[in-house]
Amino acid sequence: MRPHNFSAGPAGLPEAVLERARAELLDFRGSGASVMELSHRGPVFMQLVEEIEARLRALMAVPDEYAVLFFQGGATLQFSTLVWNLIGDADGGDYVVTGLWSDKAQRVASALCEARVACSTQRPDGGFDRVPAPADIDIDPDAAWLHYCPNETVHGIEFPYVPDAGAVPLVADYSSSILSQPVDVSRFGVLYAGAQKNLGPAGITLVIVRRDLIRPPTPGTPAILSYAGQAGRDSMLNTPPTFAWYLLGLVLEWVEEQGGAEAMATRSQRKADTLYSAIDASNYYTNAVALDSRSRVNVTFDLAEPERVGAFVAAAESAGLLALKGHSAVGGLRASLYNAVSQQAVDDLVAFMTEFERTRG
Ligand SMILES: *Cc1c(COP(=O)(O)O)cnc(C)c1O
């Protein structure tokens, strides 16, 4: 058996997906070539991307008035891409800052436009431990968008609600929680996600945009970063990352086989409950996030003896539990419980934690 992988990203992929990719590697659908050796504009690959879009639309119940686009450059490039595409005649957009990623998005935007902080939950010491109350988000009605991050991957903070932005288009960086539960896409103007947490390997980024927001971008914007340009050319204004796209398709098929977003939500909740219960029941492990803001997918935790974090990570690795070290910005430990992480993996982690606490490694 392969070890359990709790990596925050690039994250573990379902083993069935890797096996399938291996089986299909040398000859994709009878073409005589690997999928990564095919023309992206040829019939075999074009057929594949049509299937992938249809599958994604079904899994996420994406309404017809939304375009499904794929970009390169990760979620990070979307921080500026969204500015160029959404700003129109406005001065800028509003930001809800709840952790490292929404803070980065705001900082990138502030170099390009007025990126007003509509709300920040940053503590005086620089840390983050909660989402705001809905009433604390002060939206400028003239903002061209309101940006937030539904799940802060580094801090382990997740919104239990979708902010109400009124007539202002809501933009969400869904990189780490996409497809971990059903989402009402109609609440959003734009929803984007780098693939390497819950959708596939690194190298491809999903962008779902309400079609009325697809307008000519700011003059000078590279064509490959234009929503309109990519929408008009099947997200193939240049050579797309075909192998990553294919793997993303396999992951979607796997999610579908598992029962779709509803099934992922049930599993996700159970995995999170298992781990948080173990943390809460112990005097040795702690989680610093407010109860209503705890992430279902990135569980951050600390030891009562912080100096033993390195020993914990090393012992866990030897026990077949990989990538539990916290992000360098916050330290401590983090278990990412994305869709590909099984309940068994979480049960094994909890058993390991109990034993580590008892024996101190
Ligand atoms: C990982 C992550 C990013 C950065 O993604 P890249 O694809 O590396 O640019 C941005 N936002 C969130 C919420 C993430 O989890």
Side-chain angles (χ1 to χ4, degrees), residues 8-9 73-79 100-102 104 149-154 173-177 192-197 202-205 298 334 338:
T76 300
L77 193 52
Q78 293 304 314
F79 298 163
L100 182 135
W101 288 114
S102 53
K104 279 201 178 176
C149 182
N151 183 75
E152 288 282 2
T153 320
V154 169
D173 175 359
Y174 254 105
S175 294
S176 48
S177 54
Y192 64 93
Q196 69 273 21
K197 278 70 183 243
I204 189 160
T205 305
N298 304 103
R334 172 176 53 174
Y338 301 130

